[in-house]
Amino acid sequence: MIVWIVLGAALVLGVPGALYLVQDGMLFLPQPGPTRPPQVRGARAIEPLAFTAGDGVTVRGWFVRSAHSPAPLVIYYGGNAEEVSWQASEPWPDAWSLALVNYRGYGQSEGKPSAQALFADAELVFDALVARADVDRARIVLVGRSLGSGVATYLASRREVAGLVLISPYDSMIAIGQRHYPFLPVRLLLKHPFDSLARAPAISAPLLAIVGERDGIIPPEHSRRLFDAWGGPKRWLSIPGAGHNDLGAQREFWDPISQFLAERAR
């Protein structure tokens, strides 16, 4: 009997303890990135970016310039396994510049990712970008995909922006974790809650939320909770048949984004 009690206790305590220790590796999946400028759609100019945080860590990425100056700016925040330089070849409107900065540990960025580090870096990068003479600081739109929707939402709660496009957004990582691991005390274990739901009501910037109807990683009801709590004007777009990883490949994906950006550029 004592042996069974010990084994049961080891299971009850050991599994949550093990998951607590490995959660960073489950949530953040850093990908390597190019040292050379990525391919850019059309003939747009591209330049490297580097920003050094107060702790000495440097995050790096790319700035795809519009031919206009000052130009409106899209700042893109990727998913948990996304090195963002590939976005340079996507069909972003030519009138907009595009900032692609990798999270810590991703691409050529230094350091180790965490929620607080990503939030602090986002503020640092934003403040440096709006100080550029070729950026129209009144027309900055944040675009966040999956994990990046939490970074974009955080930044919108701290800085004034012209709008947000959130792709496969979530209410909080706690809620997503509880859905996928209902047998675990996720609220007690999770070090990176990314609680976008708590921030949403105070954000007045316009929102375009894009979700895949068949997304099994971030089910649409979690996106909807964030959308319903949003404090500003908002539009919901659910793409039939789309999942989590193929959402951007759907033909219905880009036109609403282009329209949203055109409205913000007026």
Side-chain angles (χ1 to χ4, degrees), residues 21-256:
L21 294 174
V22 302
Q23 65 177 279
D24 286 12
M26 298 171 65
L27 182 58
F28 303 109
L29 301 171
Q31 305 296 315
T35 56
R36 297 179 179 179
Q39 181 179 0
V40 179
R41 186 180 58 85
R44 302 175 68 181
I46 185 169
E47 67 180 73
L49 293 173
F51 308 93
T52 301
D55 61 358
V57 170
T58 299
V59 293
R60 296 184 172 87
W62 307 96
F63 190 88
V64 182
R65 291 200 302 272
S66 168
H68 308 284
S69 182
L73 174 67
V74 166
I75 307 177
Y76 180 84
Y77 307 92
N80 74 325
E82 184 177 359
E83 192 281 312
V84 298
S85 65
W86 72 282
Q87 284 287 325
S89 62
E90 290 293 276
W92 298 100
D94 290 341
W96 289 71
S97 293
L98 176 66
L100 305 169
V101 180
N102 276 304
Y103 304 138
R104 294 183 177 213
Y106 290 67
Q108 298 299 313
S109 293
E110 303 170 355
K112 181 179 178 182
S114 71
Q116 291 306 313
L118 267 55
F119 292 161
D121 291 343
E123 291 187 77
L124 171 72
V125 170
F126 181 91
D127 292 342
L129 289 172
V130 300
R132 290 176 59 122
D134 58 355
V135 168
D136 182 351
R137 64 180 304 155
R139 295 184 293 172
I140 295 179
V141 169
L142 312 180
V143 179
R145 183 190 301 270
S146 191
L147 176 72
S149 71
V151 182
T153 299
Y154 168 82
L155 187 59
S157 73
R158 306 278 293 183
R159 300 290 189 273
E160 185 175 348
V161 297
L164 294 91
V165 178
L166 300 183
I167 304 160
S168 304
Y170 48 85
D171 41 5
S172 73
M173 279 298 171
I174 292 174
I176 296 296
Q178 287 175 334
R179 183 184 189 95
H180 290 295
Y181 303 99
F183 53 90
L184 291 174
V186 174
R187 186 174 297 276
L188 297 177
L189 295 173
L190 196 61
K191 296 186 291 183
H192 313 285
F194 286 97
D195 191 355
S196 294
L197 185 63
R199 300 183 175 100
I203 300 175
S204 60
L207 167 67
L208 170 62
I210 306 177
V211 304
E213 187 181 68
R214 300 180 62 185
D215 193 330
I217 296 175
I218 301 176
E221 53 262 41
H222 289 276
S223 302
R224 189 78 202 195
R225 288 174 195 154
L226 177 69
F227 180 84
D228 289 343
W230 199 263
K234 51 197 173 184
R235 178 186 173 192
W236 175 265
L237 175 62
S238 178
I239 299 182
H244 189 79
N245 294 320
D246 64 348
L247 185 56
Q250 308 303 312
R251 62 182 179 84
E252 304 96 329
F253 182 78
W254 279 104
D255 283 350

